[in-house]
Amino acid sequence: MQQVPAISQLITGAPLIPEDPIAALPPPLAAPQGGLPDLPANWFAYHVLNRLAYGGTPNQLNMAASLKTAVEAHAWSTAFMKEQLELDPTKPWPTNLHDTGALPAPIAIQDVLTDALIAADKGDWMQEVSDSSILTPSFIQLQDLDLLRKIHSRRQLKEKMTYFWDNHFNTNYRSHAKGQYELQENEAFRRHAFGKFLDLLLASGKSPAMMIYLNTDVNVKENPNENYAREVLELHTLGVTTQGTPNGYTQADIVEAAKTFTGWTNTADLRGGFRFVSNRHSPGTKTVLGQTISFSGSGPGEGEHVLTLAARHPSTARHLARKLCEYFVSDFPSAALINETASVFTDSGGDIKKVLISILTSQDFSNAVNYRAQIKTPLEYLVGLYRNLGVWSSRDPFRARLVSIGQSIYEFAPPTGFKETAIEWLNTNVLFHETSMAYETTMAGFGSVIKYGSASSNGSIRAWMEELELTTEPQILGFLTNLAVDRVVTSTEYHLYLSTLRIGLGSNEFNIKSTSREDALDRTMATILTNPRYLYQ
């Protein structure tokens, strides 16, 4: 087997021990027959990499390509899914999804490379003058840390779930301008990503970022502020119907809930934390969601009681079930899948890992009709591009492009967060910037400082192919199409890629050692990436 240099000599330049087995290179790609391409036998392996991760790395995609049969692909994918869920890959799936019984103790994924990169990044963060134990990232450093985890972490499903919760409980850095506050919230979401929904809800509600963003910090008995109470019912828990009407709560519930949160505020110090101020708390009993909340002026218990009621409400189970099914399976999940997911959510007491197991082992998830049937979000597209090509240079162009698209991390103003379904955000601006990014990543002269492949090839795709001993056109097309489109190509696409690879050859034979092939290879990779097929996952 040949080793595929990818990100193994990343930014520090230090050689690192590969953390995954090195996969064989994909086979050569022969010219397909006319008509629509067949479903590859190993499609489920690509599907799992696309949905549980921000796309596969070159080595992971090579691994998928090496699986010859559906049985092999299913076995590899099942082991990958269990590993990502921190379950023992050698044990059967848990069967107690519909009760509150404990799942096996989690098996943490070792991620030496990412941990080293995070430590290096944090080494540049500023120390607070009055307390050197507090590191305060700038806004860009905060975004970079987030991208670093998404791009490089072996804990890909945990990163996807951390982002899901950060987006579900959206806050805006611009409302407080403190990197430490967003960081603290993000780390809580990562810590509880596979845990209980109520813990996520409490962590969000008591985070300084949320308290400032939705005004809980100024919620006092003389003038109860309804912002947080309204959004926690409308967005974080019960939700609204498809017609936009409240799904099981009323305006009176919002007013009463707001009173239970009076006195909640943040510590307003550098580190940030939760604080309850009893003399700001509204007196008297309250009624929320049909339940009487007894007065407690000495602590945050009334607000916690409301969050507990909301977390256990049947509407919350359906609201979260729909969003998670849209996130992992389809923009149009079946009613049966939503019902089963909501049922597991309710029966398990909001156990997110059980909910995820239910979704990922469902017939809908493994139905081929959902393979490459979802359009990548801008974040999935850009992070996936970085991962698919094995980019090892700066993250700056990718972060900047997210800003241009209007999906900058940590600064979305509306409390809704970004919607999961493409119809809500797909537009010409997004497509323009994604196509531009594909060109910038691959083509010299597009202002690119991006280098991918292997560090030793220094960003030259021709040198990369030489290192891999890919010398013929079918070998090269087999490798490049595997990075982007799972080797799924029509006859027309194949001949377009082949003719691009042969640009300027005339009657000469293809020779990978010829420097004239550098531009042709760049153009071929750009052509594959700008095919609309690459937009799908």
Side-chain angles (χ1 to χ4, degrees), residues 197-199 201 233 236-238 289 305-317 320 345-346 349-350:
F197 177 71
L198 179 58
D199 291 331
L201 186 60
L233 294 177
H236 304 166
T237 56
L238 280 73
L289 300 175
H305 190 166
V306 168
L307 293 182
T308 302
L309 289 175
R312 293 174 179 169
H313 197 281
S315 294
T316 300
L320 267 296
F345 185 99
T346 298

Side-chain angles (χ1 to χ4, degrees), residues 74-86:
H74 193 269
W76 180 87
S77 302
T78 300
F80 182 82
M81 288 194 287
K82 288 179 179 174
E83 180 198 45
Q84 289 295 310
L85 285 160
E86 301 179 344

Side-chain angles (χ1 to χ4, degrees), residues 76-135:
W76 180 87
S77 302
T78 300
F80 182 82
M81 288 194 287
K82 288 179 179 174
E83 180 198 45
Q84 289 295 310
L85 285 160
E86 301 179 344
L87 297 170
D88 186 341
T90 67
K91 300 287 178 62
W93 287 107
T95 57
N96 60 334
L97 304 184
H98 281 277
D99 61 46
T100 56
L103 287 170
I107 302 174
I109 298 174
Q110 298 302 310
D111 197 0
V112 177
L113 170 61
T114 309
D115 292 344
L117 290 172
I118 290 171
D121 259 32
K122 288 187 174 180
D124 294 330
W125 290 6
M126 189 174 70
Q127 288 182 332
E128 287 294 344
V129 175
S130 59
D131 186 345
S132 61
S133 68
I134 302 175
L135 297 175

Side-chain angles (χ1 to χ4, degrees), residues 1-120:
M1 291 184 180
Q2 292 173 289
Q3 179 168 345
V4 180
I7 57 171
S8 60
Q9 290 180 306
L10 211 52
I11 295 160
T12 61
L16 295 166
I17 300 171
E19 294 175 306
D20 291 316
I22 301 301
L25 295 172
L29 185 66
Q33 300 297 313
L36 294 175
D38 294 331
L39 185 72
N42 56 353
W43 69 270
F44 194 58
Y46 293 114
H47 183 60
V48 166
L49 283 174
N50 277 326
R51 299 299 174 87
L52 273 69
Y54 286 99
T57 64
N59 191 54
Q60 288 174 327
L61 292 166
N62 289 346
M63 178 61 73
S66 73
L67 305 167
K68 305 299 183 192
T69 67
V71 173
E72 287 181 13
H74 193 269
W76 180 87
S77 302
T78 300
F80 182 82
M81 288 194 287
K82 288 179 179 174
E83 180 198 45
Q84 289 295 310
L85 285 160
E86 301 179 344
L87 297 170
D88 186 341
T90 67
K91 300 287 178 62
W93 287 107
T95 57
N96 60 334
L97 304 184
H98 281 277
D99 61 46
T100 56
L103 287 170
I107 302 174
I109 298 174
Q110 298 302 310
D111 197 0
V112 177
L113 170 61
T114 309
D115 292 344
L117 290 172
I118 290 171

Side-chain angles (χ1 to χ4, degrees), residues 153-169:
S153 179
R154 295 185 70 236
R155 308 167 186 125
Q156 282 285 295
L157 181 59
K158 180 157 282 188
E159 290 307 314
K160 290 207 75 166
M161 284 308 300
T162 300
Y163 178 75
F164 177 88
W165 296 123
D166 224 333
N167 189 53
H168 180 75
F169 299 111

Side-chain angles (χ1 to χ4, degrees), residues 63-264:
M63 178 61 73
S66 73
L67 305 167
K68 305 299 183 192
T69 67
V71 173
E72 287 181 13
H74 193 269
W76 180 87
S77 302
T78 300
F80 182 82
M81 288 194 287
K82 288 179 179 174
E83 180 198 45
Q84 289 295 310
L85 285 160
E86 301 179 344
L87 297 170
D88 186 341
T90 67
K91 300 287 178 62
W93 287 107
T95 57
N96 60 334
L97 304 184
H98 281 277
D99 61 46
T100 56
L103 287 170
I107 302 174
I109 298 174
Q110 298 302 310
D111 197 0
V112 177
L113 170 61
T114 309
D115 292 344
L117 290 172
I118 290 171
D121 259 32
K122 288 187 174 180
D124 294 330
W125 290 6
M126 189 174 70
Q127 288 182 332
E128 287 294 344
V129 175
S130 59
D131 186 345
S132 61
S133 68
I134 302 175
L135 297 175
T136 304
S138 68
F139 185 44
I140 286 178
Q141 287 172 329
L142 184 70
Q143 292 179 311
D144 265 4
L145 177 70
D146 200 81
L147 277 178
L148 183 156
R149 291 182 184 276
K150 288 176 170 57
I151 290 167
H152 299 297
S153 179
R154 295 185 70 236
R155 308 167 186 125
Q156 282 285 295
L157 181 59
K158 180 157 282 188
E159 290 307 314
K160 290 207 75 166
M161 284 308 300
T162 300
Y163 178 75
F164 177 88
W165 296 123
D166 224 333
N167 189 53
H168 180 75
F169 299 111
N170 184 57
T171 55
N172 182 1
Y173 170 87
R174 301 296 177 190
S175 67
H176 53 76
K178 287 188 171 56
Q180 186 63 230
Y181 290 4
E182 291 292 342
L183 179 68
Q184 183 184 114
E185 189 182 63
N186 180 271
E187 289 179 342
F189 293 148
R190 183 170 289 99
R191 191 163 55 250
H192 297 298
F194 296 156
K196 294 294 181 72
F197 177 71
L198 179 58
D199 291 331
L200 288 153
L201 186 60
L202 288 167
S204 165
K206 292 184 175 181
S207 76
M210 181 61 81
M211 286 189 283
I212 295 171
Y213 177 59
L214 290 180
N215 311 116
T216 324
D217 60 329
V218 293
N219 188 10
V220 295
K221 61 186 178 184
E222 294 82 3
N223 185 26
N225 189 300
E226 298 173 8
N227 275 0
Y228 177 66
R230 183 179 305 282
E231 305 304 357
V232 80
L233 294 177
E234 179 179 329
L235 299 173
H236 304 166
T237 56
L238 280 73
V240 295
T241 66
T242 52
Q243 290 76 38
T245 55
N247 202 5
Y249 63 93
T250 65
Q251 173 62 24
D253 288 318
I254 294 171
V255 171
E256 289 288 281
K259 292 177 184 175
T260 70
F261 297 121
T262 51
W264 285 34

